[in-house]
């Protein structure tokens, strides 16, 4: 099968998870290329219902490589919790790969998201999960990447560069 890209043209609840689950049956890999854990995708796989928000939809198919690409913003706590939930249900998540260039949602992104929404007279209805502030940092080259998060010394240096701005 040639590559297929599923793009959402709405704000959610459009069935992307179901479509990806259908297409991934004939795919070797399922790659999430953008977004964060602010919105979920519900998949019915066999007789089971899976509500995912951080993981790619293909993760429930154990023979597929599941990738979180560099355009995704990753909340490590949400990702680990979701992986644990799937592991507890017997789903093997060892096929997951994460781009070292994916941005990390830091606790201050979540707080800034909530503060911004609360202070605004023109609220946009954010989920307050830090997605927007994290993407802002990515665009402004002030963010922490997965590669920097996993190396404690590099992480400390990178955090020192930007935390005072927050």
């Amino acid at each position: 099968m040639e590559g297929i890209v599923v793009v959402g043209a709405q704000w959610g609840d459009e069935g992307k998870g179901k479509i990806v689950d259908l297409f991934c049956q004939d795919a070797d890999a399922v790659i999430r290329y953008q977004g964060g854990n602010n919105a979920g995708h519900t998949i019915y796989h066999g007789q089971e219902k899976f509500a995912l928000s951080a993981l790619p939809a293909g993760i429930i198919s154990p023979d597929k490589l599941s990738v979180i690409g560099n355009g995704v913003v990753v909340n490590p706590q949400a990702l680990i919790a979701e992986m644990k939930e799937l592991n507890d249900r017997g789903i093997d998540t060892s096929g997951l790969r994460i781009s070292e260039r994916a941005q990390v949602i830091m606790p201050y992104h979540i707080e800034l998201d909530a503060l911004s929404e609360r202070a605004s007279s023109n609220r946009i209805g954010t989920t307050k999960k830090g997605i927007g502030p994290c993407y802002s940092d990515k665009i402004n080259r002030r963010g922490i990447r997965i590669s920097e998060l996993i190396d404690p010394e590099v992480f400390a240096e990178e955090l020192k560069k930007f935390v005072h701005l927050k």
Side-chain angles (χ1 to χ4, degrees):
M1 168 185 280
E2 295 296 320
I4 295 175
V5 177
V6 177
V7 178
Q10 303 297 319
W11 290 103
D13 292 338
E14 47 193 0
K16 292 183 298 288
K18 182 182 280 187
I19 297 298
V20 169
D21 185 46
L22 176 70
F23 284 143
C24 88
Q25 303 311 309
D26 296 323
D28 296 321
V30 178
I31 303 166
R32 184 166 183 192
Y33 59 90
Q34 59 85 28
N37 67 308
N38 58 329
H41 35 283
T42 302
I43 300 166
Y44 294 89
H45 194 75
Q47 298 298 316
E48 291 191 73
K49 176 181 176 180
F50 297 90
L52 305 174
S53 63
L55 290 164
I59 195 74
I60 60 172
S61 297
D63 59 331
K64 310 301 178 194
L65 177 65
S66 291
V67 179
I68 294 177
N70 68 317
V72 178
V73 291
V74 178
N75 178 329
Q77 290 178 321
L79 179 65
I80 290 168
E82 197 166 290
M83 290 174 71
K84 181 182 181 327
E85 181 181 328
L86 289 182
N87 292 157
D88 290 348
R89 292 177 66 182
I91 303 296
D92 179 13
T93 58
S94 65
L96 178 66
R97 302 295 180 267
I98 304 171
S99 170
E100 63 184 24
R101 295 186 304 155
Q103 294 288 301
V104 178
I105 298 173
M106 299 295 291
Y108 55 76
H109 289 127
I110 296 167
E111 186 65 25
L112 288 169
D113 201 359
L115 289 170
S116 176
E117 184 74 2
R118 195 175 324 136
S120 177
S121 60
N122 187 22
R123 294 184 177 146
I124 60 172
T126 175
T127 58
K128 300 179 191 82
K129 295 198 176 177
I131 309 300
C134 187
Y135 271 118
S136 292
D137 278 355
K138 176 181 174 133
I139 290 166
N140 289 309
R141 299 182 179 155
R142 290 190 281 221
I144 305 290
R145 293 180 178 188
I146 292 291
S147 63
E148 297 157 343
L149 180 68
I150 61 175
D151 183 325
E153 290 179 21
V154 173
F155 174 65
E157 287 301 313
E158 289 300 310
L159 192 58
K160 285 178 194 174
K161 289 180 190 176
F162 306 120
V163 76
H164 69 281
L165 300 170
K166 305 304 172 187

